[in-house]
């Protein structure tokens, strides 16, 4: 598989590690917080329940990250160019209106 320019294997590995490690860190902080406030005793959770929680967080984090990526890509590729073009048109219209006012003032004098 040939990668596009701008994306190299190191970036793909970092993204993969990020996707695997971040849910584990979130789960660790969640369990730590619940133990701190007394809502959970570590002995109450089995290994299977911890794995289930990790998988659920992994899926939710992956889907959320993907949706955020797609939304960002849509904004940058679709909306931003249209907004820039609209702004340029408004500026050119304002510039033309200002030039017309200036030229009509000069003609009337």
């Amino acid at each position: 598989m040939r990668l596009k320019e701008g994306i190299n294997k190191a970036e793909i590995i970092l993204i993969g590690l990020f996707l695997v490690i971040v849910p584990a860190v979130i789960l660790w902080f969640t369990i730590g917080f619940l133990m701190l406030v007394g809502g959970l005793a570590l002995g109450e959770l089995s290994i299977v329940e911890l794995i289930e929680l990790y998988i659920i967080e992994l899926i939710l984090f992956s889907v959320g990250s993907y949706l955020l990526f797609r939304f960002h890509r849509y904004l940058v590729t679709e909306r931003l160019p249209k907004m820039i073009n609209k702004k340029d048109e408004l500026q050119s219209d304002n510039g033309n209106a200002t030039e017309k006012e200036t030229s009509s003032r000069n003609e009337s004098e």
Side-chain angles (χ1 to χ4, degrees), residues 40-108:
L40 176 74
L42 194 56
E44 294 177 7
L45 291 176
S46 68
I47 293 292
V48 174
E49 290 173 330
L50 286 173
I51 292 172
E52 288 174 354
L53 288 173
Y54 172 75
I55 290 173
I56 290 168
E57 285 198 26
L58 178 66
I59 291 169
L60 290 175
F61 184 77
S62 300
V63 169
S65 297
Y66 178 73
L67 292 175
L68 184 63
F69 166 75
R70 294 297 294 185
F71 180 66
H72 179 263
R73 186 174 175 184
Y74 166 74
L75 288 178
V76 169
T77 59
E78 298 293 326
R79 299 283 300 207
L80 186 62
K82 289 178 184 176
M83 292 174 70
I84 290 173
N85 289 338
K86 193 176 211 179
K87 181 181 175 188
D88 290 342
E89 288 174 5
L90 288 174
Q91 286 179 345
S92 66
D93 289 344
N94 289 341
N96 291 340
T98 306
E99 289 175 8
K100 288 178 183 177
E101 289 174 7
T102 306
S103 62
S104 65
R105 284 182 195 163
N106 290 339
E107 290 175 1
S108 62

Side-chain angles (χ1 to χ4, degrees), residues 1-9 11-12 69 73:
M1 179 177 152
R2 185 157 193 164
L3 298 175
K4 295 179 184 178
E5 293 179 29
I7 298 178
N8 58 26
K9 290 182 181 180
E11 290 174 342
I12 292 173
F69 166 75
R73 186 174 175 184

